[in-house]
Amino acid sequence: MGSPGNETDEPLTPAGRLFVRPEMNQVIHCAMGLKHPIDVESVKSQVRSSVMLSHPRFCSLMVRDTSGRERWRRTHIDLDSHFIVLDRPVSTLNDEELVVNQYLADMSTSPGLSYDKPLWEIHLLLAHKCLIFRVHHALGDGVSLMSMLLACCRREDDVDALPRIGSVGSQRNSEGGNRRGWWQWVKLLRGFLMMGWFTLVFVVEFVLRALWVRDKETAISGGAEVELWPRMLATASFWLEDMKVVKKAVPGATINDVLFGVISSGLSRYLAHRSPNALQEGLQLTGVAMVNLRAQSGLQDLSDLMKDNSGSRWGNKFGMMLLPVYYHKSGSDPLQYLKRAKVMIDQKKHSLEAHFSYEIGHFVMTYLGSKAAGFLNYQIVCNTSFTISNVLGPQEKLVVGVNPITYLRVNSSSLPHALTMHMVSYAGRADMQILVAKNIIPDPEFLAQCFEEALLEMKEAAVATNKI
């Protein structure tokens, strides 16, 4: 039953309303490994004095008014009710990574967060020196929440200093001032034509995916209600230096290009193992990726996120993009996976697909309601093969209080996909959490190994190429 309205209540954003729909109820889990045993009172003191508790979203209940619309209502914070402290081992397994991953996997299919308090929790696994921050996706997207996390931590080399945010914003080549030669006008016109063409093609594909077009079924396919199935979680670890070596082997390539090359190669390896000679060469496997739409890319300064008039404001400011990878049997040149990924991503960059998905989602939510928007998003997930996200994390080592953070990993609640992958970088390393429906993908550790070996194979080829 809805509660009476309150003049100080704030409505949820359209994206926030989507994430509280039963079929899209998403909670983000951020796991931090700590070097030393956890001092519970020290962590509570750190949270109590942090900027997080002055942020309105972290101090508000999600309520529904008499018309059923979701709203934020400020409330008093009972800090102890947000802490779940487990002083005993949560498993008899000896491998700490397996123990924490299984705990996170179980949480991914749990009922979620209680609406009786603000939508976040901190779990302290004392026996495993692990802190898990659970926060509802309605509070913000990965960029918002990672920026908040950075504002609550300090640098290991200077515990009084906030983590550094890398230089952001687009840089324009000012050479030649405002004067343009005819060839520059031709290049500009060509760019607009490419943007129009790729936007048309990808938007039509996006709409068809929301209606009936579906990936061919493979050993990794999910579907309706698979989000309810038991989960397993594995971690694939990469060194950013290795990815940079691979990147240099293909002119103009980016770390994202390398990531999708690794995904394509790793999935091809895995499917060849699970279904030898059963799949057609070049078979498309479509991924769903979330794209940050803020004016400045990457991590944000928290003060900018808190400004209502900022182009980098707090919340869920992202669009959805379909990113296909293709099944190919192992060939003589591992860098072909990167080259194909680069071509695909370059085409996506020339389109307005992510902006279209954001605007159409806003339109459907506003005029047709959250049920229709939830149905369309659910259909897109059911008709594709996997979810992928990649968030730039801190480049330097951080501490919570005075306790150094040894790793930083992110995953979320389960989706109809049988495979979801979330990668975040931290201090030179990138960890990708691979969440699977265990009745469909029973061996996520082997899948993680396929991704790791794919990058190392690309690195070997890149080193040989760079020497030529």
Side-chain angles (χ1 to χ4, degrees), residues 2 27-28 102 106 114 171 236 240-241 314 329 341 349 356 434 457:
V27 178
I28 298 171
Q102 189 54 54
D106 292 342
S114 170
Q171 296 181 348
L240 289 180
E241 279 302 317
W314 179 276
K329 296 177 182 178
K349 288 176 180 176
F356 170 83
I434 304 167
E457 193 174 82

Side-chain angles (χ1 to χ4, degrees), residues 61-62 82 111-121 134:
L61 298 172
M62 199 288 287
H82 288 270
L113 295 166
S114 170
Y115 289 105
D116 294 333
K117 59 186 180 183
L119 298 176
W120 60 274
E121 290 178 344
R134 297 188 80 199

Side-chain angles (χ1 to χ4, degrees), residues 337-355:
Y337 291 103
L338 169 57
K339 294 173 183 177
R340 285 187 288 260
K342 182 182 183 305
V343 170
M344 178 270 294
I345 292 178
D346 284 349
Q347 292 175 350
K348 292 288 181 175
K349 288 176 180 176
H350 278 105
S351 82
L352 297 176
E353 178 186 0
H355 292 272

Side-chain angles (χ1 to χ4, degrees), residues 19-153:
F19 284 126
V20 297
R21 290 285 312 165
E23 66 273 17
M24 296 297 293
N25 190 21
Q26 284 289 292
V27 178
I28 298 171
H29 306 134
C30 179
M32 291 184 287
L34 299 174
K35 184 176 182 179
H36 306 303
I38 298 174
D39 183 334
V40 177
E41 291 306 316
S42 174
V43 174
K44 286 184 179 181
S45 175
Q46 189 81 6
V47 172
R48 191 177 289 113
S49 61
S50 73
V51 67
M52 186 174 78
L53 291 193
S54 63
H55 192 290
R57 292 292 172 268
F58 289 83
C59 303
S60 297
L61 298 172
M62 199 288 287
V63 299
R64 288 182 171 86
D65 59 24
T66 51
S67 64
R69 295 295 294 265
E70 300 87 352
R71 307 182 74 86
W72 297 116
R73 179 170 299 172
R74 293 296 291 263
T75 187
H76 170 73
I77 292 291
D78 176 11
L79 191 60
D80 288 339
S81 70
H82 288 270
F83 274 80
I84 289 83
V85 180
L86 302 175
D87 54 2
R88 297 177 180 274
V90 297
S91 171
T92 57
L93 295 172
N94 293 324
D95 190 309
E96 291 293 317
E97 183 174 291
L98 290 178
V99 170
V100 174
N101 278 347
Q102 189 54 54
Y103 187 82
L104 291 166
D106 292 342
M107 282 202 299
S108 72
T109 53
S110 69
L113 295 166
S114 170
Y115 289 105
D116 294 333
K117 59 186 180 183
L119 298 176
W120 60 274
E121 290 178 344
I122 294 176
H123 292 225
L124 299 178
L125 310 186
L126 302 186
H128 309 289
K129 293 188 285 190
C130 180
L131 182 154
I132 299 171
F133 184 38
R134 297 188 80 199
V135 57
H136 203 287
H137 215 320
L139 272 66
D141 57 19
V143 170
S144 293
L145 298 172
M146 185 60 69
S147 299
M148 171 65 78
L149 175 67
L150 289 184
C152 295
C153 297

Side-chain angles (χ1 to χ4, degrees), residues 168 234 285 397 438:
V168 292
L285 305 166
K397 291 186 177 181
K438 67 179 183 180

